Amino acid sequence: MSDILAHVEAGVLTLTFNRLDKKNSITAAMYAALAEALATAKDDAEVRAVVFQGHELIFSAGNDLGDFISNPPAGADSPVWRFLHGISSFPKPVVAAVCGAAVGIGTTLLLHCDLVYAGDNAKFSLPFVNLGLCPEAASSLLLPRLIGHPRAAEALLLGEPFGAEQALEWGLVNRILPPGEANGFAQAQARKLADKPLTSLIETKRFMKTGQAEVVSARMAEEGALFARLLGEPAAREAFTAFMAKRKPDFSKL
């Protein structure tokens, strides 16, 4: 599909968010395309590494709220959950290049990548609480493990954006580059990986994640069930209505 570009070259599958007119916000159809691409790449011997990238001005504004309200995730087989389980269990190296805004799942998907390179204009945001929702992608588990509870609490409970320098200090990204160089650098790193023995890459990644897969899957399921319930509750309805009306939500009576 045109909103997700998939290209394989030199052993690297590149998945590009290509919906700039909508700030690369992600629809159910885009999640389905991403899930299918990962499922195919998992068993494709020609694919030895995967790169996620957007534009140098925007990575992803997260879920397309209009589409999300019209097509809420309904069960574990919905496109968004298939994508999240696909990336969390993907056995080969996954690299990401992030420039501009990375909102919601634009940030949480990075927790399932092995290498993340950020443009100096990157701005990360986890606004789930502000939308009357809860975290997804097992971020309530993985983010505290990665950056510590106090920092994760600041990111998840306040939902305020943080920049590339903060992300580097917290260990969320590997390196900061000029926005015009981030995608190319991520590609170069992925090609380095693709030149290495695939079995060694897969087994090394498996060892690093030993004991994590079942816990992550269980947390995703728990988050997903609550997320689906919260979508229909008053706080989320108020948050989405306020967002569409471009006003501040009022949770004072909820």
Side-chain angles (χ1 to χ4, degrees):
M1 64 179 302
S2 61
D3 291 341
I4 296 292
L5 303 180
H7 176 70
V8 178
E9 184 176 347
V12 177
L13 166 64
T14 302
L15 296 171
T16 304
F17 296 114
N18 185 50
R19 196 176 180 231
L20 284 175
D21 60 320
K22 298 294 184 180
K23 298 183 179 179
N24 286 344
S25 58
I26 309 173
T27 63
M30 291 167 70
Y31 282 124
L34 291 168
E36 180 62 30
L38 290 177
T40 300
K42 180 178 179 180
D43 299 317
D44 186 346
E46 292 187 11
V47 175
R48 304 167 74 87
V50 173
V51 172
F52 283 88
Q53 65 181 29
H55 189 269
E56 63 183 51
L57 297 179
I58 180 79
F59 183 64
S60 173
N63 287 317
D64 181 305
L65 290 184
D67 180 82
F68 201 67
I69 293 169
S70 301
N71 302 287
D77 197 44
S78 62
V80 61
W81 303 131
R82 285 193 289 115
F83 164 64
L84 288 175
H85 282 289
I87 191 173
S88 70
S89 62
F90 195 72
K92 302 172 186 178
V94 180
V95 182
V98 183
C99 298
V103 180
I105 198 164
T107 290
T108 59
L109 74 83
L110 305 176
L111 299 172
H112 302 282
C113 296
D114 301 294
L115 300 171
V116 180
Y117 301 103
D120 58 25
N121 64 340
K123 188 73 71 173
F124 306 88
S125 178
L126 298 162
F128 303 110
V129 167
N130 299 339
L131 293 171
L133 301 172
C134 68
E136 35 84 317
S139 55
S140 64
L141 171 74
L142 296 174
L143 196 64
R145 284 186 176 184
L146 178 64
I147 70 176
H149 180 88
R151 290 167 169 171
E154 188 171 65
L156 288 170
L157 296 180
L158 290 174
E160 296 174 349
F162 56 95
E165 292 289 346
Q166 192 76 78
L168 181 64
E169 179 185 337
W170 287 355
L172 184 62
V173 306
N174 294 84
R175 187 177 302 190
I176 299 172
L177 300 128
E181 298 177 15
N183 285 3
F185 189 85
Q187 289 287 333
Q189 296 295 84
R191 291 194 180 196
K192 287 181 187 177
L193 291 167
D195 286 340
K196 299 182 185 298
L198 182 58
T199 299
S200 295
L201 289 172
I202 290 174
E203 293 302 323
T204 299
K205 178 170 177 174
R206 182 178 66 82
F207 278 135
M208 288 193 292
K209 292 199 167 190
T210 294
Q212 180 174 295
E214 291 182 0
V215 178
V216 167
S217 181
R219 180 61 62 90
M220 275 191 187
E222 187 177 1
E223 289 174 346
L226 180 58
F227 194 103
R229 178 167 69 80
L230 290 176
L231 271 174
E233 296 198 353
R237 291 200 298 268
E238 165 60 15
F240 292 154
T241 299
F243 179 84
M244 295 301 183
K246 298 182 179 179
R247 63 171 174 81
K248 184 177 179 180
D250 180 7
F251 301 120
S252 61
K253 297 179 182 178
L254 301 179

